[in-house]
mmCIF file of all heavy atoms in Angstrom:
data_model
loop_
_atom_site.group_PDB
_atom_site.id
_atom_site.type_symbol
_atom_site.label_atom_id
_atom_site.label_comp_id
_atom_site.label_asym_id
_atom_site.label_seq_id
_atom_site.Cartn_x
_atom_site.Cartn_y
_atom_site.Cartn_z
ATOM 1 N N ASN A 116 25.705 -55.415 136.274
ATOM 2 C CA ASN A 116 24.284 -55.708 136.610
ATOM 3 C C ASN A 116 24.097 -55.647 138.105
ATOM 4 O O ASN A 116 24.694 -56.343 138.863
ATOM 5 C CB ASN A 116 23.975 -57.143 136.140
ATOM 6 C CG ASN A 116 24.010 -57.278 134.660
ATOM 7 O OD1 ASN A 116 23.146 -56.741 133.954
ATOM 8 N ND2 ASN A 116 24.961 -58.065 134.154
ATOM 9 N N MET A 117 23.163 -54.729 138.470
ATOM 10 C CA MET A 117 22.691 -54.634 139.848
ATOM 11 C C MET A 117 21.202 -54.605 139.718
ATOM 12 O O MET A 117 20.611 -53.518 139.486
ATOM 13 C CB MET A 117 23.251 -53.374 140.545
ATOM 14 C CG MET A 117 24.786 -53.466 140.739
ATOM 15 S SD MET A 117 25.436 -51.987 141.585
ATOM 16 C CE MET A 117 24.608 -52.037 143.165
ATOM 17 N N HIS A 118 20.577 -55.763 139.863
ATOM 18 C CA HIS A 118 19.121 -55.876 139.624
ATOM 19 C C HIS A 118 18.296 -55.052 140.559
ATOM 20 O O HIS A 118 18.630 -54.841 141.691
ATOM 21 C CB HIS A 118 18.687 -57.353 139.657
ATOM 22 C CG HIS A 118 19.321 -58.150 138.584
ATOM 23 N ND1 HIS A 118 19.253 -57.867 137.266
ATOM 24 C CD2 HIS A 118 20.064 -59.313 138.653
ATOM 25 C CE1 HIS A 118 19.850 -58.767 136.508
ATOM 26 N NE2 HIS A 118 20.408 -59.636 137.380
ATOM 27 N N PHE A 119 17.128 -54.726 140.018
ATOM 28 C CA PHE A 119 16.115 -53.956 140.840
ATOM 29 C C PHE A 119 15.543 -54.839 141.888
ATOM 30 O O PHE A 119 15.244 -56.064 141.615
ATOM 31 C CB PHE A 119 14.992 -53.446 139.883
ATOM 32 C CG PHE A 119 13.972 -52.671 140.634
ATOM 33 C CD1 PHE A 119 14.136 -51.361 140.981
ATOM 34 C CD2 PHE A 119 12.795 -53.297 141.016
ATOM 35 C CE1 PHE A 119 13.201 -50.674 141.697
ATOM 36 C CE2 PHE A 119 11.789 -52.628 141.756
ATOM 37 C CZ PHE A 119 12.030 -51.270 142.050
ATOM 38 N N SER A 120 15.323 -54.299 143.056
ATOM 39 C CA SER A 120 14.554 -54.960 144.110
ATOM 40 C C SER A 120 13.926 -53.880 144.921
ATOM 41 O O SER A 120 14.233 -52.714 144.761
ATOM 42 C CB SER A 120 15.470 -55.893 144.935
ATOM 43 O OG SER A 120 16.487 -55.156 145.608
ATOM 44 N N GLU A 121 13.080 -54.277 145.874
ATOM 45 C CA GLU A 121 12.341 -53.300 146.656
ATOM 46 C C GLU A 121 13.390 -52.396 147.402
ATOM 47 O O GLU A 121 14.381 -52.861 147.968
ATOM 48 C CB GLU A 121 11.452 -54.017 147.679
ATOM 49 C CG GLU A 121 10.527 -53.008 148.319
ATOM 50 C CD GLU A 121 9.438 -53.762 149.189
ATOM 51 O OE1 GLU A 121 9.166 -54.922 148.811
ATOM 52 O OE2 GLU A 121 8.958 -53.126 150.141
ATOM 53 N N GLY A 122 13.106 -51.114 147.341
ATOM 54 C CA GLY A 122 13.996 -50.157 148.037
ATOM 55 C C GLY A 122 15.138 -49.599 147.131
ATOM 56 O O GLY A 122 15.839 -48.696 147.533
ATOM 57 N N LYS A 123 15.205 -50.177 145.888
ATOM 58 C CA LYS A 123 16.261 -49.694 144.939
ATOM 59 C C LYS A 123 15.611 -48.831 143.872
ATOM 60 O O LYS A 123 14.475 -48.990 143.530
ATOM 61 C CB LYS A 123 16.938 -50.871 144.305
ATOM 62 C CG LYS A 123 17.831 -51.610 145.340
ATOM 63 C CD LYS A 123 18.743 -52.562 144.593
ATOM 64 C CE LYS A 123 19.568 -53.347 145.634
ATOM 65 N NZ LYS A 123 20.991 -53.069 145.437
ATOM 66 N N GLN A 124 16.384 -47.857 143.428
ATOM 67 C CA GLN A 124 15.963 -46.984 142.297
ATOM 68 C C GLN A 124 16.735 -47.445 141.069
ATOM 69 O O GLN A 124 17.938 -47.513 141.076
ATOM 70 C CB GLN A 124 16.317 -45.556 142.686
ATOM 71 C CG GLN A 124 16.098 -44.577 141.549
ATOM 72 C CD GLN A 124 16.730 -43.207 141.836
ATOM 73 O OE1 GLN A 124 17.430 -43.048 142.779
ATOM 74 N NE2 GLN A 124 16.448 -42.260 140.954
ATOM 75 N N GLN A 125 16.009 -47.647 139.960
ATOM 76 C CA GLN A 125 16.619 -48.031 138.716
ATOM 77 C C GLN A 125 17.257 -46.746 138.105
ATOM 78 O O GLN A 125 16.522 -45.784 137.834
ATOM 79 C CB GLN A 125 15.605 -48.655 137.767
ATOM 80 C CG GLN A 125 16.286 -49.179 136.555
ATOM 81 C CD GLN A 125 15.320 -50.068 135.723
ATOM 82 O OE1 GLN A 125 14.168 -50.360 136.135
ATOM 83 N NE2 GLN A 125 15.775 -50.459 134.567
ATOM 84 N N VAL A 126 18.552 -46.755 137.872
ATOM 85 C CA VAL A 126 19.228 -45.616 137.311
ATOM 86 C C VAL A 126 19.679 -45.798 135.840
ATOM 87 O O VAL A 126 19.845 -44.875 135.102
ATOM 88 C CB VAL A 126 20.473 -45.202 138.152
ATOM 89 C CG1 VAL A 126 20.005 -44.749 139.544
ATOM 90 C CG2 VAL A 126 21.512 -46.301 138.241
ATOM 91 N N THR A 127 19.834 -47.070 135.419
ATOM 92 C CA THR A 127 20.013 -47.437 134.032
ATOM 93 C C THR A 127 19.234 -48.730 133.785
ATOM 94 O O THR A 127 18.676 -49.307 134.731
ATOM 95 C CB THR A 127 21.517 -47.685 133.661
ATOM 96 O OG1 THR A 127 21.941 -48.880 134.272
ATOM 97 C CG2 THR A 127 22.391 -46.483 134.073
ATOM 98 N N SER A 128 19.255 -49.251 132.593
ATOM 99 C CA SER A 128 18.492 -50.423 132.281
ATOM 100 C C SER A 128 18.960 -51.653 133.065
ATOM 101 O O SER A 128 18.202 -52.584 133.303
ATOM 102 C CB SER A 128 18.533 -50.752 130.770
ATOM 103 O OG SER A 128 19.869 -50.992 130.362
ATOM 104 N N THR A 129 20.217 -51.661 133.517
ATOM 105 C CA THR A 129 20.756 -52.825 134.234
ATOM 106 C C THR A 129 21.230 -52.530 135.646
ATOM 107 O O THR A 129 21.761 -53.428 136.320
ATOM 108 C CB THR A 129 21.923 -53.467 133.444
ATOM 109 O OG1 THR A 129 22.980 -52.465 133.293
ATOM 110 C CG2 THR A 129 21.460 -53.956 132.097
ATOM 111 N N VAL A 130 21.114 -51.246 136.087
ATOM 112 C CA VAL A 130 21.709 -50.906 137.372
ATOM 113 C C VAL A 130 20.619 -50.212 138.232
ATOM 114 O O VAL A 130 20.066 -49.179 137.839
ATOM 115 C CB VAL A 130 22.931 -50.024 137.260
ATOM 116 C CG1 VAL A 130 23.423 -49.562 138.614
ATOM 117 C CG2 VAL A 130 24.024 -50.757 136.536
ATOM 118 N N SER A 131 20.387 -50.773 139.410
ATOM 119 C CA SER A 131 19.470 -50.191 140.416
ATOM 120 C C SER A 131 20.248 -50.057 141.717
ATOM 121 O O SER A 131 21.040 -50.922 142.111
ATOM 122 C CB SER A 131 18.242 -51.100 140.630
ATOM 123 O OG SER A 131 17.490 -51.203 139.413
ATOM 124 N N LEU A 132 20.038 -48.905 142.400
ATOM 125 C CA LEU A 132 20.782 -48.582 143.576
ATOM 126 C C LEU A 132 19.935 -48.237 144.759
ATOM 127 O O LEU A 132 18.848 -47.616 144.602
ATOM 128 C CB LEU A 132 21.694 -47.373 143.324
ATOM 129 C CG LEU A 132 22.625 -47.439 142.130
ATOM 130 C CD1 LEU A 132 23.259 -46.017 141.878
ATOM 131 C CD2 LEU A 132 23.659 -48.501 142.307
ATOM 132 N N ASP A 133 20.376 -48.575 145.944
ATOM 133 C CA ASP A 133 19.782 -48.058 147.144
ATOM 134 C C ASP A 133 20.802 -47.154 147.856
ATOM 135 O O ASP A 133 21.912 -46.995 147.334
ATOM 136 C CB ASP A 133 19.239 -49.171 148.083
ATOM 137 C CG ASP A 133 20.338 -50.126 148.584
ATOM 138 O OD1 ASP A 133 21.515 -49.737 148.562
ATOM 139 O OD2 ASP A 133 19.982 -51.240 149.063
#
Side-chain angles (χ1 to χ4, degrees):
N116 292 294
M117 293 179 62
H118 295 307
F119 180 80
S120 62
E121 191 169 334
K123 291 192 180 240
Q124 172 192 8
Q125 188 169 352
V126 296
T127 70
S128 62
T129 60
V130 176
S131 297
L132 306 172
D133 61 19

